[in-house]
Amino acid sequence: MEYYGKRHKSLAKAVFKEDLKDIVEDSTWLLIDIREEENYLQGHLKNAKNITTQEEFYKIINENKDKKILLNCYSGHTVSLIGSSLVDEGYTNIYFLDEEISDCLGEEF
């Protein structure tokens, strides 16, 4: 199996800050922010949905199998692990943001 990422390794494909400008405007992508709601409300990627429960998380990824799903957390570590687990479960449309989210906020995305 191939691992992706620079800072964190995952079976899910890595996405980096420079990729975000195109992704946030692309309707073929679904962005999922797994941070606590309070942190999400302080700033998040454009069009990202805040999902904090496992039940809601699986519901939304199963309803969007036709989309590329980008996961983000605080640093990329947690979503790299979740991404690997999802790929192990058979999901092929999972990507993770291999960046500190704080470095990505306040940009054009």
Side-chain angles (χ1 to χ4, degrees), residues 3-56:
Y3 286 87
Y4 303 92
K6 294 177 185 173
R7 298 177 66 230
H8 305 285
K9 297 300 181 190
S10 179
L11 294 174
K13 292 187 175 91
V15 167
F16 303 97
K17 183 178 179 177
E18 58 268 18
D19 305 316
L20 289 175
K21 187 174 183 180
D22 294 327
I23 290 172
V24 299
E25 298 294 340
D26 187 338
S27 64
T28 65
W29 287 84
L30 173 66
L31 285 63
I32 298 178
D33 188 323
I34 66 162
R35 296 177 300 146
E36 295 292 327
E37 182 180 19
E38 177 181 327
N39 298 112
Y40 171 84
L41 292 173
Q42 291 174 358
H44 57 272
L45 297 175
K46 184 176 180 181
N47 298 321
K49 296 181 183 295
N50 186 222
I51 307 294
T52 57
T53 67
Q54 187 173 11
E55 180 180 280
E56 188 179 11

Side-chain angles (χ1 to χ4, degrees), residues 30-95:
L30 173 66
L31 285 63
I32 298 178
D33 188 323
I34 66 162
R35 296 177 300 146
E36 295 292 327
E37 182 180 19
E38 177 181 327
N39 298 112
Y40 171 84
L41 292 173
Q42 291 174 358
H44 57 272
L45 297 175
K46 184 176 180 181
N47 298 321
K49 296 181 183 295
N50 186 222
I51 307 294
T52 57
T53 67
Q54 187 173 11
E55 180 180 280
E56 188 179 11
F57 180 80
Y58 274 99
K59 181 178 187 263
I60 199 163
I61 65 171
N62 285 320
E63 289 174 348
N64 289 280
K65 290 182 179 181
D66 60 325
K67 295 189 182 252
K68 298 173 193 166
I69 297 176
L70 175 61
L71 308 175
N72 82 266
C73 60
Y74 298 95
S75 69
H77 176 70
T78 301
V79 291
S80 71
L81 299 174
I82 292 170
S84 285
S85 293
L86 291 169
V87 170
D88 277 341
E89 291 175 31
Y91 293 90
T92 59
N93 58 335
I94 306 298
Y95 298 76

